Amino acid sequence: MAAVLNPLDYRPEDAAFNADPFPLYRRMRDEDPCHWSPRLKAWVLTRYDDVRRACLDAGMSSDRLRPFFASMPTPEQERIRDIIRYLSAWMVFRDPPDHTRLRKLTASVFNVKSMHAMRPDVEEIADWLLQRIGERTQVDFIADFAGPLPALVIMRMLGVPREDLEKVKTLSDRMALFIGSSRANPEKYDIAEAATHEMAEFFRAMIAARRTQPRADLLSQLVNLRDETEGQLSEDELIATCILLLFAGHETTTNHIGNGLVALLGFPGEMARLRADPGLAAAAVEELLRYEGPSGAQVRVVAQATELHGKTLRAGDRVFLLLNAANRDERAYPDPDRLDLSRDGVPHLAFGFGTHICLGFPLARLEGQIAFPRVLDRFRRIEPAWTRLNWFDSMVFRGVSTLPIEVAR
Ligand code: HEM
């Protein structure tokens, strides 16, 4: 057993680690599955069974932002007033009973039926984006396709006009600086705060407009929901939920489609299989999510002290559940580093598990199932056109900001 586990100490600023974290994840699973990271000041779980169990464990709290905010000195809190105000109302950062109420209300209008009804819109938007690429042979797959597709889908569902795409993307990327970036940038909080403020005001105005003139969109349904069940979804909660759906609705799906293409390029045989048989799309999406999902980790706070692999996790300790490490656990998947579109077995954890399992997963799946076959059908040849991929310096978001490819029809 290696005595020194320094390499296991996660270094988000290390581009080499970010380029391929999987060998290190394997070591962590084998040598120290409940690892204390001094750098993160947190426990890091990497085995499938441990991560799955932690997702189901009521003793692991999702209410991690409010204690963090409360620990800040008042001037710091003032500096990120709107981030605190709205992110504290995101269901993803709440425990029952608040979580149950927020999720139940939102799911009464944002559900499998309403998501599946988006199929023609997703197809139309995907085709429009591919058509916009036209005869170009140099493509940035993120800017040209994987970025705008999910953003335009959730915007259309909510009722946000297509012309606002640039604005929404910019604000959302800036908010991501607070949520997902580990880079020590002193300005990142100010940038994220300004973006959160602007996003909230944007939805406040749209909500006011829907109150006087409802439309056939999710936003009007959310507004009515609040009106009909007065006192159940406050104005702040309504705004926060819109921001959450918009934010969660595209950042992750963009990275799923981007990471998925990188994975397929790494396994040309599997890419050829999918191209030849679009009927494999549903299985392909699940395997691509397992192989390199866009949510690298989710974070919990220990609410009740517990023991794991001989370590004591005390109340208040933070725990990183590394979904992407769990999804490559050889204890759960034979030959886990191989992409195999016909793999079966235990379900992957890319959408989380348990109470907080991704609310938007039917939509995310639908988008992937439509996107991959269409891209492969449109371009008979796709080649990487990068020398090195720049993976995000984030544990939470796994993806790249640009993905240059060369294509031929
Ligand atoms: C491939 C794409 C996606 C992945 C991999 C993904 C992953 C996740 C994960 C891992 C969680 C659990 C977080 C936690 O437990 O702390 C989550 C929660 C959530 N996701 Fe997704 N997501 C995706 C797409 C979407 C989409 C398209 C939407 C909505 C339009 C969405 C909305 C949400 C919401 C609202 C939650 C909070 C659920 C709760 O706390 O009960 N996600 N997602």
Side-chain angles (χ1 to χ4, degrees), residues 182-343:
S182 57
R183 197 175 290 278
N185 170 1
E187 282 168 14
K188 74 177 189 181
Y189 282 11
D190 295 335
I191 296 170
E193 167 67 9
T196 309
H197 181 80
E198 202 176 329
M199 191 84 110
E201 292 313 304
F202 175 71
F203 275 115
R204 192 185 302 284
M206 284 190 57
I207 287 164
R210 291 302 189 279
R211 287 229 163 81
T212 49
Q213 262 186 325
R215 293 191 196 168
D217 57 30
L218 181 62
L219 190 55
S220 302
Q221 286 179 304
L222 285 164
V223 168
N224 284 334
L225 178 77
R226 176 181 178 270
D227 289 345
E228 280 164 18
T229 52
E230 204 169 347
Q232 287 204 297
L233 207 61
S234 71
E235 179 86 2
D236 274 8
E237 285 172 342
L238 185 54
I239 293 172
T241 301
C242 291
I243 301 177
L244 172 62
L245 290 178
L246 191 78
F247 184 82
H250 77 274
E251 294 286 345
T252 38
T253 315
T254 292
N255 295 330
H256 160 51
I257 298 172
N259 298 356
L261 187 70
V262 174
L264 288 170
L265 286 167
F267 290 85
E270 295 304 278
M271 190 175 199
R273 275 179 77 197
L274 181 56
R275 182 176 271 131
D277 179 7
L280 270 178
V285 163
E286 299 315 306
E287 174 65 351
L288 292 169
L289 284 164
R290 181 201 69 82
Y291 183 79
E292 184 127 34
S295 288
Q298 55 193 41
V299 187
R300 296 289 187 263
V301 176
V302 178
Q304 284 158 29
T306 183
E307 299 273 324
L308 188 61
H309 298 293
K311 315 273 177 77
T312 305
L313 284 60
R314 289 159 310 170
D317 286 355
R318 284 193 317 152
V319 187
F320 280 77
L321 314 179
L322 294 201
L323 303 176
N324 278 353
N327 283 335
R328 295 269 194 120
D329 188 348
E330 38 294 284
R331 293 156 196 81
Y333 303 100
D335 201 1
D337 296 328
R338 191 166 55 86
L339 186 79
D340 174 1
L341 301 188
S342 35
R343 186 185 286 279

Side-chain angles (χ1 to χ4, degrees), residues 55 62 64 90-94 99-100 102-104 106 110 115 150 153-154 157-158 218 241 244-257 285 289 293-300 321 323 348-365 367-368 396:
C55 287
S62 286
R64 55 196 181 272
W90 280 12
M91 67 181 87
V92 68
F93 298 130
R94 303 305 290 261
H99 171 263
T100 320
L102 287 169
R103 180 155 176 141
K104 219 167 137 186
T106 309
F110 184 67
M115 289 183 239
V153 169
I154 189 65
M157 201 171 175
L158 277 165
L218 181 62
T241 301
L244 172 62
L245 290 178
L246 191 78
F247 184 82
H250 77 274
E251 294 286 345
T252 38
T253 315
T254 292
N255 295 330
H256 160 51
I257 298 172
V285 163
L289 284 164
S295 288
Q298 55 193 41
V299 187
R300 296 289 187 263
L321 314 179
L323 303 176
H348 64 74
L349 301 175
F351 291 121
F353 203 72
T355 344
H356 284 275
I357 192 168
C358 177
L359 184 62
F361 76 73
L363 185 61
R365 278 184 172 145
E367 292 179 54
V396 181

